[in-house]
Amino acid sequence: MNLKRSGALLGVVAAGALTLAACGSDNNAADVDVDASASTATCEGKDTLSAAGSSAQKNAMDAFVSTYIAVCNDKGKSVNVAYNPSGSGDGRTQFIAKQIDFAGSDSAIKGDQAAQAAERCAGNPAWNLPLVFGPVAIAYNLEGVDNLVLNGETIAKIFNGGITKWNDPAIAALNSGATLPDSPIAPVVRSDSSGTTDNVQKYLEAASRGAWTTGAGSDFTGGVGEGAKGSAGVAQAVASTPGAITYVESSFAKQSNLSVAQIDNGSGPVELTEESAGKAIEGAAFASTGGGDLTLDLSSIYGSTEAGAYPLVLATYEIVCSGGYDADTSAAVKSFLTSAANEGQTGLSEQGYVPLPDSFKAKLTESIDAIG
């Protein structure tokens, strides 16, 4: 049976979980035909799952949940997934504290947090499962400048105070023929702990030719700019502030109708598109060496000079227990993730994400099936 993923279904999600009140009332799911009869999701286990974390994947999660509801309704089961886009750091913290069933995070859980997560999972390791790929936009609000070109070095200097005017010679050199105003740049950065910030700062370490010296991490280290909470927060701040610039997931830049800079990775300017981001993702490798954990090694693409590859891409993970769930929770987590990894990917490109490559789907499905 073909069903429409629609705003009405998202209303069911919101009505069914009070925790979604914190997420806002945006309807970000696209109307996409879903072949419910072809889904391998079992819709078994407990009726309602709880999750929190990455705001970068909020729009994708809306789509996953509405699709899952449609699939399970067709199978005679009422289900819900309450997802609060409270930030990657908060999601990992809540997961460790056993307050939610799984977490969304733009950075893999590791180190001390991974050890704490294993305790939460009854001695079993937590797995990082990449479910959503999203290019990060360098989004800006500059009247009369529609095709801005930046590179790793100029982006770094904008966000550490090394460049403060839009007509700085370094920006002008990348934008021959453009009329750049003699006006101040207003950087907007994430005020909350964010995997997006971590990934952007890792990109700047790799691509800025030494201009970024303050390190990476989930908290912004550049020392300049106004802070705003969440992906929606920084996008809204730039939309309302002439001369502003931020880093934000492509879906949020699109939603707020922001201009997006092209990035010159050394082989000429590259526009952010599904194809250019996909070209960069194809070069990603798994950092993990075995088991069901699928942590990615994305560092190799941040400094890529491959022609036509948009290098600023992050993967959003679902952090799950590899074992240790009760039977009902395990069944529900596996069922939801199975749906999200398959029919849930339909239409993600319309929201600024890059659907999972087939090779990732196959490996991801193996890990989902292995959850205990």
Side-chain angles (χ1 to χ4, degrees), residues 201-275:
Q201 293 181 142
K202 286 177 180 175
Y203 161 73
L204 293 176
E205 284 185 319
S208 69
R209 301 179 183 178
W212 190 261
T213 60
T214 52
S218 297
D219 296 317
F220 180 71
T221 65
V224 301
E226 292 295 322
K229 182 174 175 58
S231 301
V234 295
Q236 291 165 5
V238 171
S240 62
T241 307
I245 189 169
T246 194
Y247 54 88
V248 69
E249 296 72 27
S250 175
S251 58
F252 286 88
K254 181 179 293 188
Q255 181 180 329
S256 296
N257 295 315
L258 298 176
S259 297
V260 174
Q262 299 177 53
I263 293 181
D264 188 338
N265 65 5
S267 298
V270 180
E271 183 180 356
L272 194 168
T273 65
E274 180 181 343
E275 290 73 26

Side-chain angles (χ1 to χ4, degrees), residues 8-96:
L9 286 170
L10 288 182
V12 175
V13 180
L18 293 177
T19 52
L20 280 181
C23 305
S25 58
D26 297 334
N27 174 12
N28 294 310
D31 287 330
V32 177
D33 285 325
V34 178
D35 186 358
S37 63
S39 175
T40 57
T42 65
C43 301
E44 295 176 348
K46 66 181 184 180
D47 293 340
T48 300
L49 287 169
S50 60
S54 167
S55 61
Q57 69 171 1
K58 190 262 183 185
N59 294 347
M61 188 60 68
D62 284 348
F64 295 156
V65 174
S66 59
T67 296
Y68 186 53
I69 289 173
V71 165
C72 292
N73 279 349
D74 191 52
K75 297 184 178 185
K77 184 73 179 290
S78 176
V79 298
N80 192 17
V81 180
Y83 184 80
N84 184 358
S86 55
S88 296
D90 180 70
R92 294 192 298 271
T93 298
Q94 288 198 52
F95 178 75
I96 289 168

